[in-house]
């Protein structure tokens, strides 16, 4: 409310007095709420840092699981221009020679006749059945879609298109364009058949089936599987140029044919590269890098928790950094305790118990991890225990990655994770304190109004007393 500066009768600074009383009444209550708000905000920020660090470690553990970080296999091709290779953890170490004898290709046909591109030209009507492999579609051509462009669109846009694309080729000859049909997928099973027995007009000339003697459609390219020979012994085919699990856990992507010798085919005999050597071996470097990343990530998490829960007795009592924001917080400390317990927990692999220390990782007195510093010694540990390391970390449900993720999820789960629940509680407290401050402000407005009115009443009473005193003084003076 607006306050006048002084009392009309008393001359007192009513506005100033009112403001001083309101400030004195408000300060201890507002200070208490503000202090609590700061404490809640500091705690929320600190819990957020812990939760973020845990989430970062969970993301790393998840990535490790997807990337097979501790049991990966490294696959190389000695000529990636001809063949590229990828391997999963299922792949077994070995060396193979691959001859690429045949590349997969799609089926392509071209009509011999020229079709007019005139939109007014009717090319025929009736049912055209197009089949690719064991799938087929039936097109109904009538007067609304019997021109060349409409026929091509009807083929390409059909909902039940079996995997064929129609295109037009302008050969430069007078009379129009030729229609080309090609399959979307490669492989000898994806051959095209066109039945126009129920059609009239020029479109009837597009009939095709392998072995037809009077077809007016030419085969531009035969449907063909890819074919490779492994170690000059085993021949394998694929409907496309990717071979998956022909060698367990290995994917081969063919790029082009390798050469032949004495086949009397100059196109392949003249190719110098006769085969591609592929090598599959344990990716020990990746495992070593992953162990280092794991140790660094864990130590980063422990460092964050230690900073937020720590206490430095060497600092002055009034130093704000003497105690961490979560000093004495049992919830945050439980993260450290439970993770240390998990690190010390042995994992059974084929009837034998293993611990982190078996793989060059030791737990220090301060709770951090240390990776074997001697690089050669660590290489030997990894080489001798490669398969076991992979199982130790990546075993489904019982491996360290799965156990750690489950443990950390009990803190970070959005619904019932203990840190998430704590954050929700603090946010509710934050709202409650905001409401308290709002209510305090409302009460102070009412208090100010009430106090001001009381001072005004006092000012009025003083005015009346002054008037009465003045009257009495005047009366007394008249007696003189």
């Amino acid at each position: 409310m607006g306050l006048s500066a002084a009392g009309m009768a008393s001359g007192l600074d009513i506005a100033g007095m009112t403001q001083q009383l309101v400030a004195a009444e408000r300060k201890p209550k507002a200070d208490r709420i503000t202090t609590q708000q700061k404490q809640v905000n500091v705690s929320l920020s600190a819990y957020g840092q812990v939760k973020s660090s845990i989430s970062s470690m969970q993301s790393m553990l998840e990535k490790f699981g997807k990337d097979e970080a501790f049991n990966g296999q490294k696959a190389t091709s000695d000529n990636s221009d001809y063949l590229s290779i990828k391997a999963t953890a299922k792949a077994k170490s070995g060396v193979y020679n691959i001859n690429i004898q045949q590349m997969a290709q799609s089926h392509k046909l071209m009509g011999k006749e020229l079709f007019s591109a005139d939109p007014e030209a009717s090319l025929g009507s009736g049912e055209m059945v197009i089949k690719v492999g064991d799938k087929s579609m039936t097109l109904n051509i009538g007067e609304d879609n019997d021109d060349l462009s409409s026929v091509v669109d009807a083929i390409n846009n059909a909902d039940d298109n079996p995997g064929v694309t129609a295109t037009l080729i302008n050969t430069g000859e007078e009379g129009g364009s030729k229609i080309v049909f090609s399959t979307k997928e490669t492989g000898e099973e994806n051959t095209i058949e066109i039945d126009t027995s129920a059609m009239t007009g020029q479109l009837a000339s597009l009939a095709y089936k392998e072995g037809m003697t009077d077809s007016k459609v030419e085969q531009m390219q035969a449907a063909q599987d890819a074919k490779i020979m492994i170690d000059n012994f085993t021949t394998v085919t694929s409907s496309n140029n990717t071979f998956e699990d022909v060698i367990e856990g290995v994917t081969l992507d063919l790029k082009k044919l390798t050469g032949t010798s004495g086949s009397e085919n100059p196109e392949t005999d003249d190719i110098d590269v006769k085969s591609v050597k592929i090598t599959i071996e344990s990716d020990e470097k990746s495992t070593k890098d992953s162990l280092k990343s794991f140790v660094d990530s864990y130590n980063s998490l422990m460092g964050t928790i230690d900073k937020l829960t720590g206490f430095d007795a060497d600092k002055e009592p009034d130093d704000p950094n003497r105690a961490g924001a979560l000093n004495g917080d049992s919830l945050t400390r439980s993260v450290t305790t439970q993770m240390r317990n998990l690190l010390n927990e042995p994992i059974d692999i084929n009837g034998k118990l293993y611990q982190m220390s078996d793989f060059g990782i030791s737990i220090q007195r301060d709770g951090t991890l240390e990776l074997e510093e001697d690089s050669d010694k660590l290489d030997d540990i990894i080489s001798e225990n490669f398969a076991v390391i992979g199982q130790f970390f990546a075993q489904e449900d019982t491996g360290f990655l799965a156990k750690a993720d489950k443990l950390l999820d009990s803190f970070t789960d959005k619904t019932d994770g203990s840190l998430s629940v704590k954050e929700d509680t603090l946010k509710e407290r934050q709202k409650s304190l905001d409401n308290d401050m709002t209510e305090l402000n409302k009460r102070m407005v009412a208090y100010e109004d009430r106090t001001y009115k009381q001072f005004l009443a006092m000012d009025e009473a003083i005015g009346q007393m002054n008037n009465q005193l003045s009257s009495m003084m005047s009366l007394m003076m008249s007696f003189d």
Side-chain angles (χ1 to χ4, degrees):
M1 62 178 288
L3 304 179
S4 61
M8 295 289 290
S10 66
L12 296 173
D13 182 5
I14 294 176
M17 293 168 61
T18 300
Q19 290 171 351
Q20 289 177 19
L21 285 174
V22 170
E25 178 72 17
R26 185 183 190 281
K27 188 177 187 308
K29 298 180 177 65
D31 286 351
R32 184 173 65 253
I33 295 173
T34 300
T35 299
Q36 292 176 349
Q37 286 177 321
K38 288 180 179 178
Q39 290 172 343
V40 169
N41 290 337
V42 168
S43 294
L44 265 176
S45 175
Y47 280 120
Q49 292 178 57
V50 174
K51 192 174 178 182
S52 177
S53 293
I54 292 176
S55 296
S56 295
M57 186 166 188
Q58 281 185 290
S59 297
M60 182 203 67
L61 296 178
E62 183 180 358
K63 184 177 184 297
F64 279 166
K66 289 180 179 178
D67 294 348
E68 299 170 337
F70 296 99
N71 58 345
Q73 292 290 95
K74 179 173 64 177
T76 56
S77 163
D78 73 349
N79 199 322
S80 57
D81 291 337
Y82 285 79
L83 182 153
S84 63
I85 180 173
K86 292 184 293 185
T88 68
K90 292 181 179 179
K92 305 298 185 292
S93 298
V95 178
Y96 304 88
N97 286 294
I98 308 295
N99 301 97
I100 304 172
Q101 300 179 330
Q102 190 168 281
M103 298 291 291
Q105 57 189 31
S106 60
H107 196 199
K108 289 187 179 181
L109 306 174
M110 182 171 68
K112 295 179 182 178
E113 295 192 2
L114 295 170
F115 291 84
S116 172
D118 185 348
E120 300 299 324
S122 175
L123 303 180
S125 62
E127 289 187 349
M128 176 186 293
V129 180
I130 301 178
K131 183 178 180 183
V132 177
D134 57 359
K135 299 178 182 178
S136 66
M137 68 176 176
T138 301
L139 299 174
N140 290 302
I141 306 298
E143 60 181 15
D144 293 334
N145 64 344
D146 60 356
D147 63 284
L148 182 59
S149 178
S150 296
V151 170
V152 170
D153 287 344
I155 294 170
N156 293 334
N157 299 329
D159 291 336
D160 56 349
N161 186 301
V164 65
T165 300
T167 55
L168 298 175
I169 291 183
N170 186 352
T171 63
E173 301 175 71
E174 293 185 5
S177 302
K178 293 185 177 182
I179 301 179
V180 173
F181 300 88
S182 58
T183 57
K184 296 177 181 178
E185 295 183 3
T186 57
E188 62 182 31
E189 291 186 357
N190 294 308
T191 57
I192 303 171
E193 292 184 9
I194 306 174
D195 182 359
T196 60
S197 58
M199 295 211 66
T200 62
Q202 191 180 8
L203 291 175
S205 68
L206 294 175
Y208 179 85
K209 186 174 183 179
E210 189 175 359
M212 284 182 65
T213 56
D214 56 349
S215 176
K216 295 183 180 180
V217 174
E218 295 179 296
Q219 178 173 266
M220 298 173 66
Q221 179 174 282
Q224 183 173 282
D225 285 347
K227 184 189 294 184
I228 62 173
M229 179 175 283
I230 303 173
D231 287 340
N232 290 320
F233 183 78
T234 304
T235 300
V236 187
T237 61
S238 170
S239 62
N240 55 53
N241 289 314
T242 300
F243 289 74
E244 294 182 348
D245 285 328
V246 169
I247 301 170
E248 184 183 15
V250 174
T251 298
L252 305 174
D253 284 316
L254 311 188
K255 307 298 183 183
K256 56 185 177 180
L257 298 177
T258 54
T260 55
S261 299
S263 69
E264 299 183 359
N265 180 354
E267 290 186 5
T268 55
D269 281 352
D270 290 344
I271 298 174
D272 293 331
V273 177
K274 304 302 182 184
S275 67
V276 178
K277 184 173 78 172
I278 60 173
T279 304
I280 305 156
E281 56 189 334
S282 300
D283 193 354
E284 295 179 5
K285 182 182 181 302
S286 177
T287 297
K288 186 177 182 179
D289 292 341
S290 297
L291 288 174
K292 186 178 186 304
S293 295
F294 167 71
V295 169
D296 290 344
S297 179
Y298 179 85
N299 288 343
S300 175
L301 171 60
M302 293 301 108
T304 298
I305 293 175
D306 186 62
K307 178 181 177 181
L308 292 170
T309 59
F311 180 83
D312 189 349
D314 294 333
K315 292 184 177 179
E316 296 298 324
D318 59 349
D319 189 328
N321 297 317
R322 191 183 195 205
L326 298 176
N327 177 249
D329 181 67
S330 59
L331 175 57
T332 311
R333 281 295 182 188
S334 70
V335 178
T336 304
T337 301
Q338 292 187 52
M339 281 301 294
R340 285 177 181 173
N341 291 339
L342 181 60
L343 288 169
N344 285 314
E345 184 179 312
I347 292 177
D348 184 291
I349 301 172
N350 301 323
K352 185 177 179 180
L353 296 178
Y354 291 87
Q355 291 181 294
M356 284 283 179
S357 56
D358 293 316
F359 313 121
I361 298 175
S362 56
I363 304 175
Q364 305 304 295
R365 291 176 63 86
D366 62 359
T368 60
L369 299 181
E370 184 174 272
L371 188 63
E372 172 58 55
E373 294 181 352
D374 187 323
S375 182
D376 291 338
K377 188 174 181 180
L378 182 58
D379 288 341
D380 291 340
I381 291 173
I382 293 173
S383 180
E384 293 169 7
N385 298 278
F386 186 79
V388 175
I389 293 175
Q391 289 177 281
F392 181 90
F393 280 95
Q395 245 177 185
E396 188 174 357
D397 297 330
T398 59
F400 181 84
L401 297 181
K403 288 183 176 182
D405 185 62
K406 183 178 179 181
L407 170 60
L408 295 176
D409 201 48
S410 70
F411 291 98
T412 60
D413 183 80
K414 292 181 179 179
T415 304
D416 56 7
S418 53
L419 284 173
S420 298
V421 171
K422 184 68 174 180
E423 282 184 323
D424 291 341
T425 301
L426 287 171
K427 287 175 182 177
E428 288 299 317
R429 178 61 178 154
Q430 198 175 46
K431 290 179 183 177
S432 177
L433 290 169
D434 289 342
N435 291 336
D436 288 347
M437 185 64 81
T438 300
E439 288 300 315
L440 175 62
N441 291 333
K442 289 180 180 179
R443 291 199 306 273
M444 289 301 99
V445 169
Y447 178 70
E448 180 183 63
D449 184 60
R450 186 170 64 252
T451 302
Y452 183 69
K453 287 178 179 178
Q454 289 173 344
F455 277 126
L456 284 178
M458 182 186 72
D459 182 69
E460 185 178 351
I462 291 173
Q464 292 175 354
M465 291 174 62
N466 286 337
N467 289 335
Q468 291 174 357
L469 180 61
S470 178
S471 297
M472 290 178 66
M473 292 294 292
S474 297
L475 182 61
M476 293 175 65
M477 291 176 66
S478 67
F479 289 153
D480 291 340

